[in-house]
Coordinates of all heavy atoms in Angstrom, one line a residue:
M1 N 77.9 9.0 -13.8 CA 76.7 9.3 -13.1 C 77.0 9.0 -11.6 O 77.7 8.0 -11.3 CB 75.6 8.4 -13.6 CG 74.3 8.6 -12.8 SD 73.1 7.5 -13.6 CE 71.9 7.6 -12.3
D2 N 76.5 9.8 -10.7 CA 76.6 9.5 -9.3 C 75.3 9.9 -8.6 O 74.4 10.5 -9.2 CB 77.7 10.3 -8.7 CG 77.5 11.8 -8.7 OD1 76.5 12.3 -9.3 OD2 78.2 12.5 -8.0
T3 N 75.1 9.3 -7.4 CA 73.9 9.6 -6.7 C 74.1 9.2 -5.2 O 75.0 8.5 -4.9 CB 72.7 8.8 -7.2 OG1 71.5 9.2 -6.5 CG2 72.8 7.3 -7.0
V4 N 73.3 9.8 -4.3 CA 73.4 9.5 -2.9 C 72.7 8.1 -2.7 O 71.6 8.0 -3.2 CB 72.7 10.6 -2.0 CG1 72.7 10.2 -0.6 CG2 73.5 11.9 -2.2
T5 N 73.3 7.2 -2.0 CA 72.8 5.8 -2.0 C 73.2 5.1 -0.7 O 73.9 5.6 0.1 CB 73.3 5.1 -3.2 OG1 72.7 3.8 -3.2 CG2 74.8 5.0 -3.3
E6 N 72.8 3.8 -0.6 CA 73.3 2.9 0.4 C 74.1 1.8 -0.3 O 74.2 1.8 -1.5 CB 72.1 2.4 1.2 CG 71.4 3.5 2.0 CD 70.2 2.9 2.7 OE1 69.8 1.8 2.6 OE2 69.6 3.8 3.5
A7 N 74.6 0.9 0.5 CA 75.5 -0.1 -0.1 C 75.0 -0.9 -1.3 O 75.7 -1.0 -2.3 CB 75.9 -1.1 1.1
S8 N 73.8 -1.4 -1.2 CA 73.4 -2.3 -2.3 C 73.3 -1.5 -3.7 O 73.7 -2.0 -4.7 CB 72.0 -2.9 -2.0 OG 71.0 -1.9 -1.8
M9 N 72.8 -0.3 -3.6 CA 72.8 0.5 -4.8 C 74.2 1.0 -5.3 O 74.5 1.0 -6.5 CB 71.9 1.8 -4.6 CG 71.8 2.6 -5.9 SD 71.1 1.8 -7.3 CE 69.4 1.9 -7.0
A10 N 75.0 1.3 -4.3 CA 76.4 1.7 -4.6 C 77.1 0.5 -5.3 O 77.9 0.7 -6.3 CB 77.2 2.1 -3.4
I11 N 76.9 -0.7 -4.9 CA 77.5 -1.9 -5.5 C 77.0 -2.0 -7.0 O 77.7 -2.2 -7.9 CB 77.3 -3.2 -4.7 CG1 78.1 -3.1 -3.4 CG2 77.6 -4.4 -5.5 CD1 77.7 -4.1 -2.4
S12 N 75.7 -1.9 -7.1 CA 75.1 -2.1 -8.5 C 75.6 -1.0 -9.4 O 75.9 -1.3 -10.6 CB 73.5 -2.0 -8.4 OG 73.0 -3.1 -7.6
M13 N 75.7 0.2 -8.9 CA 76.2 1.3 -9.8 C 77.6 1.1 -10.1 O 78.0 1.4 -11.3 CB 76.0 2.7 -9.0 CG 74.5 3.0 -8.9 SD 74.3 4.6 -8.1 CE 75.0 5.7 -9.2
A14 N 78.4 0.6 -9.2 CA 79.9 0.4 -9.5 C 80.0 -0.7 -10.5 O 80.9 -0.6 -11.4 CB 80.6 0.0 -8.2
L15 N 79.2 -1.7 -10.5 CA 79.3 -2.8 -11.5 C 78.9 -2.2 -12.9 O 79.3 -2.9 -13.9 CB 78.3 -3.9 -11.1 CG 78.7 -4.7 -9.9 CD1 77.6 -5.7 -9.5 CD2 80.0 -5.5 -10.1
H16 N 78.3 -1.1 -13.0 CA 77.9 -0.5 -14.3 C 78.8 0.8 -14.5 O 78.4 1.6 -15.4 CB 76.4 -0.2 -14.3 CG 75.6 -1.4 -14.4 ND1 75.1 -2.1 -13.3 CD2 75.2 -2.2 -15.4 CE1 74.4 -3.1 -13.6 NE2 74.5 -3.2 -14.9
G17 N 79.8 1.0 -13.8 CA 80.7 2.1 -14.0 C 80.3 3.4 -13.3 O 80.9 4.4 -13.6
G18 N 79.3 3.3 -12.5 CA 78.9 4.5 -11.8 C 79.6 4.7 -10.4 O 80.5 4.0 -10.0
L19 N 79.1 5.7 -9.7 CA 79.6 6.1 -8.4 C 78.5 6.3 -7.5 O 77.6 7.1 -7.8 CB 80.5 7.3 -8.5 CG 81.1 7.9 -7.3 CD1 82.2 7.0 -6.7 CD2 81.7 9.3 -7.5
G20 N 78.5 5.7 -6.3 CA 77.5 6.0 -5.3 C 78.1 6.7 -4.1 O 79.2 6.4 -3.7
V21 N 77.4 7.6 -3.6 CA 77.8 8.4 -2.4 C 77.0 8.1 -1.2 O 75.7 8.2 -1.3 CB 77.7 9.9 -2.7 CG1 78.2 10.7 -1.5 CG2 78.5 10.3 -4.0
I22 N 77.6 7.6 -0.2 CA 76.9 7.2 1.0 C 76.2 8.4 1.7 O 76.8 9.5 1.8 CB 77.8 6.5 2.0 CG1 78.5 5.3 1.4 CG2 77.1 6.1 3.3 CD1 77.6 4.2 0.9
H23 N 75.0 8.2 2.2 CA 74.2 9.3 2.8 C 75.0 10.0 3.9 O 75.6 9.3 4.8 CB 72.9 8.7 3.5 CG 71.9 8.3 2.5 ND1 71.1 9.2 1.8 CD2 71.5 7.1 2.1 CE1 70.3 8.5 1.0 NE2 70.5 7.2 1.2
Y24 N 75.0 11.3 4.0 CA 75.6 12.0 5.1 C 74.7 12.1 6.3 O 75.2 12.4 7.4 CB 76.1 13.4 4.6 CG 75.0 14.4 4.4 CD1 74.5 15.2 5.5 CD2 74.3 14.5 3.2 CE1 73.5 16.1 5.3 CE2 73.3 15.4 3.0 CZ 72.9 16.2 4.1 OH 71.8 17.0 3.9
N25 N 73.4 11.9 6.1 CA 72.5 12.0 7.2 C 72.4 10.7 8.1 O 71.7 10.6 9.0 CB 71.1 12.4 6.8 CG 70.5 11.4 5.8 OD1 71.2 10.5 5.3 ND2 69.2 11.6 5.5
M26 N 73.3 9.7 7.8 CA 73.5 8.5 8.6 C 74.5 8.9 9.7 O 75.3 9.8 9.5 CB 74.0 7.3 7.8 CG 73.1 6.8 6.8 SD 74.0 5.5 5.9 CE 72.7 4.6 5.2
S27 N 74.4 8.1 10.8 CA 75.5 8.3 11.8 C 76.8 7.8 11.2 O 76.9 7.1 10.2 CB 75.2 7.4 13.0 OG 75.3 6.0 12.8
I28 N 77.9 8.2 11.8 CA 79.2 7.8 11.4 C 79.4 6.3 11.4 O 79.9 5.7 10.4 CB 80.3 8.4 12.3 CG1 80.3 9.9 12.2 CG2 81.7 7.8 11.9 CD1 80.7 10.5 10.8
E29 N 78.8 5.6 12.4 CA 78.9 4.1 12.4 C 78.1 3.5 11.3 O 78.6 2.5 10.7 CB 78.3 3.6 13.8 CG 79.1 4.0 15.0 CD 78.9 5.4 15.5 OE1 77.9 6.0 15.1 OE2 79.8 6.0 16.1
E30 N 76.9 4.0 11.0 CA 76.1 3.5 9.8 C 76.9 3.8 8.5 O 76.9 2.9 7.6 CB 74.8 4.2 9.8 CG 73.9 3.8 11.0 CD 72.6 4.6 11.0 OE1 72.6 5.8 10.8 OE2 71.5 4.0 11.3
Q31 N 77.5 4.9 8.4 CA 78.2 5.2 7.1 C 79.4 4.2 7.0 O 79.6 3.7 5.9 CB 78.8 6.6 7.2 CG 77.7 7.7 7.0 CD 78.3 9.1 7.1 OE1 79.4 9.3 6.6 NE2 77.6 10.0 7.6
C32 N 80.1 4.0 8.1 CA 81.2 3.0 8.0 C 80.7 1.6 7.7 O 81.4 0.9 6.9 CB 81.9 3.0 9.4 SG 82.9 4.5 9.7
T33 N 79.6 1.2 8.2 CA 79.1 -0.1 7.9 C 78.7 -0.2 6.4 O 79.0 -1.2 5.8 CB 77.8 -0.4 8.7 OG1 78.1 -0.3 10.1 CG2 77.2 -1.7 8.4
E34 N 78.1 0.8 5.9 CA 77.8 0.8 4.4 C 79.0 0.8 3.6 O 79.1 0.0 2.6 CB 76.9 2.0 4.1 CG 75.6 2.1 4.7 CD 74.7 0.9 4.3 OE1 74.4 0.8 3.1 OE2 74.2 0.2 5.2
V35 N 80.0 1.5 3.9 CA 81.3 1.5 3.2 C 82.0 0.2 3.2 O 82.4 -0.3 2.2 CB 82.2 2.7 3.7 CG1 83.6 2.5 3.1 CG2 81.7 4.0 3.4
R36 N 82.0 -0.5 4.4 CA 82.6 -1.8 4.5 C 81.8 -2.8 3.6 O 82.5 -3.7 3.0 CB 82.5 -2.3 6.0 CG 83.6 -1.7 6.8 CD 83.6 -2.4 8.2 NE 84.2 -1.5 9.1 CZ 83.6 -0.7 10.0 NH1 82.3 -0.7 10.0 NH2 84.2 0.1 10.8
K37 N 80.5 -2.7 3.6 CA 79.7 -3.6 2.7 C 80.2 -3.5 1.2 O 80.3 -4.5 0.5 CB 78.2 -3.4 2.8 CG 77.6 -3.8 4.1 CD 76.1 -3.4 4.1 CE 75.5 -3.6 5.5 NZ 74.1 -3.1 5.5
V38 N 80.3 -2.2 0.8 CA 80.7 -2.0 -0.6 C 82.1 -2.5 -0.8 O 82.4 -3.1 -1.8 CB 80.6 -0.5 -0.9 CG1 81.1 -0.2 -2.3 CG2 79.1 0.0 -0.8
K39 N 83.1 -2.2 0.1 CA 84.5 -2.5 -0.1 C 84.7 -4.0 0.0 O 85.5 -4.6 -0.7 CB 85.4 -1.8 0.9 CG 85.4 -0.3 0.6 CD 86.3 0.4 1.5 CE 87.8 0.4 1.2 NZ 88.2 0.8 -0.1
K40 N 83.8 -4.7 0.7 CA 83.9 -6.2 0.9 C 83.3 -6.9 -0.2 O 83.7 -8.1 -0.5 CB 83.2 -6.5 2.2 CG 83.4 -8.0 2.7 CD 82.8 -8.2 4.0 CE 83.0 -9.6 4.5 NZ 82.4 -9.8 5.8
F41 N 82.5 -6.3 -1.0 CA 81.8 -7.0 -2.1 C 82.8 -7.5 -3.2 O 83.7 -6.7 -3.6 CB 80.8 -6.0 -2.8 CG 80.1 -6.7 -4.0 CD1 79.1 -7.6 -3.8 CD2 80.5 -6.4 -5.3 CE1 78.4 -8.1 -4.8 CE2 79.9 -7.0 -6.3 CZ 78.8 -7.9 -6.1
K42 N 82.7 -8.7 -3.6 CA 83.5 -9.2 -4.7 C 82.5 -9.9 -5.7 O 81.8 -10.8 -5.3 CB 84.5 -10.3 -4.2 CG 85.5 -9.7 -3.3 CD 86.5 -10.7 -2.9 CE 87.5 -10.0 -2.0 NZ 88.6 -10.7 -1.6
N43 N 82.5 -9.4 -6.9 CA 81.5 -9.8 -7.9 C 81.7 -11.3 -8.1 O 82.7 -11.8 -8.5 CB 81.7 -9.1 -9.2 CG 80.6 -9.3 -10.2 OD1 79.5 -9.7 -9.8 ND2 80.9 -9.0 -11.4
G44 N 80.6 -12.1 -7.9 CA 80.6 -13.5 -8.1 C 81.0 -14.3 -6.9 O 81.0 -15.6 -7.0
F45 N 81.4 -13.7 -5.9 CA 81.8 -14.4 -4.7 C 80.8 -14.3 -3.6 O 80.2 -13.2 -3.4 CB 83.2 -13.9 -4.1 CG 84.3 -14.3 -5.0 CD1 84.7 -13.5 -6.0 CD2 85.0 -15.4 -4.7 CE1 85.8 -13.8 -6.8 CE2 86.1 -15.7 -5.5 CZ 86.5 -14.9 -6.6
I46 N 80.5 -15.3 -2.8 CA 79.6 -15.2 -1.7 C 80.6 -15.0 -0.5 O 81.3 -16.0 -0.1 CB 78.8 -16.5 -1.5 CG1 78.0 -16.7 -2.8 CG2 77.9 -16.5 -0.3 CD1 77.3 -18.1 -2.8
T47 N 80.6 -13.9 0.1 CA 81.5 -13.5 1.1 C 81.1 -14.0 2.5 O 81.9 -14.1 3.4 CB 81.8 -12.0 1.2 OG1 80.6 -11.3 1.4 CG2 82.5 -11.6 -0.1
E48 N 79.8 -14.2 2.7 CA 79.3 -14.7 4.0 C 78.3 -15.8 3.8 O 77.1 -15.6 3.9 CB 78.7 -13.5 4.8 CG 79.7 -12.5 5.3 CD 79.2 -11.5 6.2 OE1 78.1 -11.7 6.8 OE2 79.8 -10.4 6.3
P49 N 78.8 -17.0 3.4 CA 77.9 -18.1 3.1 C 77.2 -18.6 4.4 O 77.8 -18.5 5.5 CB 78.8 -19.1 2.5 CG 80.1 -18.9 3.2 CD 80.2 -17.4 3.3
T50 N 76.1 -19.3 4.2 CA 75.4 -20.0 5.3 C 76.1 -21.4 5.3 O 76.2 -22.0 4.3 CB 73.9 -20.2 5.0 OG1 73.4 -18.9 4.8 CG2 73.3 -20.9 6.1
V51 N 76.6 -21.7 6.5 CA 77.3 -23.0 6.6 C 76.5 -23.9 7.6 O 75.7 -23.4 8.4 CB 78.7 -22.8 7.1 CG1 79.6 -22.0 6.1 CG2 78.8 -22.2 8.5
L52 N 76.7 -25.2 7.4 CA 76.1 -26.2 8.3 C 77.2 -27.1 8.9 O 78.3 -27.1 8.4 CB 75.1 -27.0 7.5 CG 73.9 -26.3 6.9 CD1 73.1 -27.2 6.1 CD2 73.0 -25.7 8.0
A53 N 76.8 -27.8 9.9 CA 77.7 -28.7 10.6 C 77.4 -30.2 10.1 O 76.3 -30.4 9.5 CB 77.5 -28.7 12.1
P54 N 78.3 -31.1 10.3 CA 78.1 -32.5 9.9 C 76.9 -33.1 10.6 O 76.3 -34.0 10.0 CB 79.4 -33.2 10.4 CG 80.4 -32.1 10.4 CD 79.7 -30.9 10.9
E55 N 76.4 -32.6 11.7 CA 75.3 -33.1 12.4 C 73.9 -32.7 11.7 O 72.9 -33.3 12.0 CB 75.2 -32.7 13.8 CG 76.4 -33.2 14.7 CD 77.7 -32.4 14.4 OE1 77.6 -31.2 14.1 OE2 78.8 -33.0 14.6
N56 N 73.9 -31.7 10.9 CA 72.7 -31.3 10.2 C 72.2 -32.3 9.3 O 73.0 -33.2 8.8 CB 72.9 -30.0 9.5 CG 73.1 -28.8 10.4 OD1 74.2 -28.3 10.6 ND2 72.0 -28.3 10.9
V57 N 70.9 -32.4 9.1 CA 70.2 -33.3 8.2 C 69.9 -32.7 6.8 O 70.0 -31.5 6.7 CB 69.0 -33.9 8.9 CG1 69.3 -34.7 10.1 CG2 68.0 -32.8 9.2
L58 N 69.5 -33.5 5.9 CA 69.2 -33.0 4.5 C 68.1 -32.0 4.5 O 68.1 -31.1 3.7 CB 68.9 -34.2 3.6 CG 70.2 -35.1 3.2 CD1 69.7 -36.3 2.4 CD2 71.2 -34.2 2.5
A59 N 67.2 -32.2 5.4 CA 66.1 -31.2 5.5 C 66.6 -29.8 5.8 O 66.1 -28.8 5.2 CB 65.1 -31.6 6.6
D60 N 67.7 -29.7 6.6 CA 68.3 -28.4 6.9 C 69.0 -27.8 5.6 O 68.9 -26.6 5.3 CB 69.4 -28.6 8.0 CG 68.8 -29.0 9.3 OD1 67.7 -28.7 9.6 OD2 69.6 -29.7 10.0
V61 N 69.6 -28.7 4.8 CA 70.2 -28.3 3.5 C 69.1 -27.7 2.6 O 69.3 -26.6 2.0 CB 70.9 -29.4 2.9 CG1 71.4 -29.0 1.5 CG2 72.1 -29.9 3.7
D62 N 68.0 -28.4 2.5 CA 66.9 -28.0 1.7 C 66.4 -26.6 2.1 O 66.1 -25.7 1.3 CB 65.7 -29.0 1.7 CG 66.1 -30.2 1.0 OD1 67.0 -30.2 0.1 OD2 65.5 -31.3 1.3
I63 N 66.3 -26.4 3.4 CA 65.8 -25.1 3.9 C 66.8 -24.0 3.6 O 66.4 -22.9 3.1 CB 65.6 -25.2 5.5 CG1 64.4 -26.1 5.8 CG2 65.4 -23.8 6.1 CD1 64.3 -26.4 7.2
V64 N 68.1 -24.2 3.8 CA 69.1 -23.2 3.5 C 69.1 -22.9 2.0 O 69.2 -21.7 1.6 CB 70.5 -23.7 3.9 CG1 71.6 -22.8 3.4 CG2 70.6 -23.7 5.4
K65 N 69.0 -23.9 1.1 CA 69.0 -23.7 -0.3 C 67.8 -22.9 -0.7 O 67.8 -22.0 -1.6 CB 69.0 -25.0 -1.1 CG 70.4 -25.7 -1.1 CD 70.3 -27.0 -1.9 CE 71.7 -27.6 -2.0 NZ 71.7 -28.7 -2.9
Q66 N 66.6 -23.2 -0.1 CA 65.4 -22.4 -0.4 C 65.5 -21.0 0.0 O 65.1 -20.1 -0.7 CB 64.2 -23.1 0.2 CG 62.9 -22.5 -0.2 CD 61.7 -23.2 0.5 OE1 61.9 -23.8 1.6 NE2 60.6 -23.2 -0.1
Q67 N 66.1 -20.7 1.2 CA 66.2 -19.4 1.7 C 67.2 -18.6 1.0 O 67.0 -17.4 0.7 CB 66.5 -19.4 3.2 CG 65.3 -19.9 4.0 CD 65.7 -20.1 5.5 OE1 66.9 -20.1 5.9 NE2 64.7 -20.2 6.4
S68 N 68.3 -19.2 0.6 CA 69.5 -18.4 0.1 C 69.5 -18.5 -1.4 O 70.1 -17.6 -2.1 CB 70.8 -18.9 0.6 OG 71.1 -20.2 0.2
G69 N 69.0 -19.5 -2.0 CA 69.1 -19.7 -3.5 C 70.4 -20.2 -3.9 O 70.7 -20.3 -5.1
H70 N 71.3 -20.6 -3.0 CA 72.6 -21.1 -3.3 C 72.5 -22.6 -3.6 O 71.7 -23.3 -2.9 CB 73.6 -20.8 -2.2 CG 73.8 -19.4 -2.0 ND1 73.9 -18.9 -0.7 CD2 73.8 -18.3 -2.8 CE1 74.1 -17.6 -0.7 NE2 73.9 -17.2 -2.0
S71 N 73.3 -23.1 -4.5 CA 73.3 -24.5 -4.8 C 74.3 -25.3 -4.1 O 74.3 -26.6 -4.0 CB 73.4 -24.8 -6.3 OG 74.7 -24.3 -6.7
G72 N 75.3 -24.7 -3.5 CA 76.3 -25.3 -2.7 C 76.4 -24.8 -1.3 O 76.3 -23.6 -1.0
I73 N 76.4 -25.8 -0.3 CA 76.4 -25.4 1.1 C 77.7 -26.0 1.7 O 77.9 -27.2 1.7 CB 75.2 -26.0 1.9 CG1 73.9 -25.7 1.1 CG2 75.2 -25.6 3.3 CD1 73.6 -24.2 1.1
P74 N 78.6 -25.1 2.3 CA 79.8 -25.6 3.0 C 79.4 -26.2 4.3 O 78.5 -25.8 5.0 CB 80.6 -24.3 3.2 CG 79.9 -23.2 2.5 CD 78.6 -23.6 2.2
I75 N 80.2 -27.3 4.6 CA 80.0 -28.0 5.9 C 81.3 -27.8 6.6 O 82.4 -28.2 6.2 CB 79.7 -29.5 5.7 CG1 78.6 -29.8 4.7 CG2 79.5 -30.2 7.0 CD1 77.2 -29.2 5.2
T76 N 81.2 -27.2 7.8 CA 82.4 -27.0 8.6 C 82.3 -27.8 9.9 O 81.3 -28.3 10.3 CB 82.5 -25.5 9.0 OG1 81.4 -25.1 9.7 CG2 82.6 -24.6 7.7
L77 N 83.4 -27.9 10.5 CA 83.6 -28.8 11.7 C 82.5 -28.5 12.8 O 81.9 -29.5 13.3 CB 85.0 -28.6 12.3 CG 85.5 -29.7 13.2 CD1 85.4 -31.1 12.6 CD2 86.9 -29.4 13.7
D78 N 82.3 -27.3 13.1 CA 81.3 -26.9 14.1 C 80.1 -26.1 13.6 O 79.3 -25.6 14.4 CB 82.0 -26.2 15.3 CG 82.5 -24.8 14.9 OD1 82.4 -24.4 13.7 OD2 83.1 -24.2 15.8
G79 N 80.0 -26.0 12.3 CA 78.9 -25.2 11.7 C 79.1 -23.8 11.7 O 78.2 -23.0 11.5
G80 N 80.3 -23.3 12.1 CA 80.6 -21.9 12.1 C 81.3 -21.4 10.9 O 82.0 -22.2 10.2
L81 N 81.2 -20.2 10.6 CA 81.7 -19.6 9.3 C 83.3 -19.7 9.2 O 83.8 -20.0 8.2 CB 81.3 -18.1 9.2 CG 81.7 -17.4 7.9 CD1 81.1 -18.2 6.7 CD2 81.2 -16.0 7.9
H82 N 84.0 -19.5 10.3 CA 85.4 -19.5 10.3 C 86.0 -20.8 10.8 O 87.2 -20.9 11.2 CB 86.0 -18.3 11.0 CG 85.6 -17.0 10.4 ND1 86.0 -16.6 9.2 CD2 84.6 -16.1 10.8 CE1 85.4 -15.5 8.9 NE2 84.6 -15.2 9.8
S83 N 85.2 -21.9 10.8 CA 85.7 -23.2 11.3 C 86.3 -24.0 10.1 O 86.2 -23.6 9.0 CB 84.5 -23.9 11.9 OG 84.9 -25.2 12.3
K84 N 86.9 -25.1 10.4 CA 87.6 -25.9 9.4 C 86.5 -26.5 8.4 O 85.6 -27.1 8.9 CB 88.4 -27.0 10.0 CG 89.1 -27.9 9.0 CD 89.9 -29.0 9.7 CE 90.6 -29.8 8.6 NZ 91.4 -30.8 9.2
L85 N 86.8 -26.3 7.1 CA 85.9 -26.9 6.1 C 86.1 -28.4 6.0 O 87.2 -28.9 5.9 CB 86.2 -26.2 4.8 CG 85.4 -26.7 3.6 CD1 83.9 -26.2 3.8 CD2 85.9 -26.2 2.3
V86 N 85.0 -29.1 6.2 CA 85.1 -30.6 6.1 C 84.4 -31.2 4.9 O 84.5 -32.4 4.6 CB 84.6 -31.3 7.4 CG1 85.5 -30.9 8.5 CG2 83.2 -30.9 7.7
G87 N 83.6 -30.4 4.2 CA 82.9 -30.8 3.0 C 82.0 -29.8 2.4 O 81.8 -28.7 3.0
I88 N 81.5 -30.1 1.2 CA 80.5 -29.1 0.5 C 79.4 -30.0 -0.1 O 79.7 -31.0 -0.7 CB 81.2 -28.4 -0.6 CG1 82.4 -27.5 0.0 CG2 80.2 -27.5 -1.3 CD1 83.2 -26.8 -1.1
I89 N 78.2 -29.6 0.2 CA 77.1 -30.2 -0.4 C 76.7 -29.4 -1.7 O 76.5 -28.2 -1.5 CB 75.9 -30.4 0.5 CG1 76.3 -31.2 1.7 CG2 74.6 -30.9 -0.2 CD1 75.2 -31.4 2.7
T90 N 76.6 -30.1 -2.8 CA 76.2 -29.4 -4.0 C 75.0 -30.0 -4.6 O 74.4 -30.9 -4.0 CB 77.4 -29.5 -5.1 OG1 77.6 -30.8 -5.4 CG2 78.6 -28.8 -4.6
K91 N 74.5 -29.4 -5.7 CA 73.3 -29.9 -6.4 C 73.2 -31.4 -6.1 O 72.3 -32.0 -5.9 CB 73.3 -29.6 -7.8 CG 73.2 -28.2 -8.1 CD 73.1 -27.9 -9.6 CE 73.0 -26.5 -9.9 NZ 72.8 -26.2 -11.3

């Protein structure tokens, strides 16, 4: 089965053995963005986690957990995604 779709539906269809076709009525840049999202997806992996810095307080952790639904929050040196990992807060 195939259908014209955007990234989230294309990922869902691929997980079930289907094929999604990105809309041709999007700009080239938008099409490229959608394709990157699909190609970057890894089932079971969080590819762009919300991270915090050591200076953040537990209330910040609670807010991130509530917003994202994730049970583990990486703590990096400067709170940036590509910074050195210094710890992980879990359940």
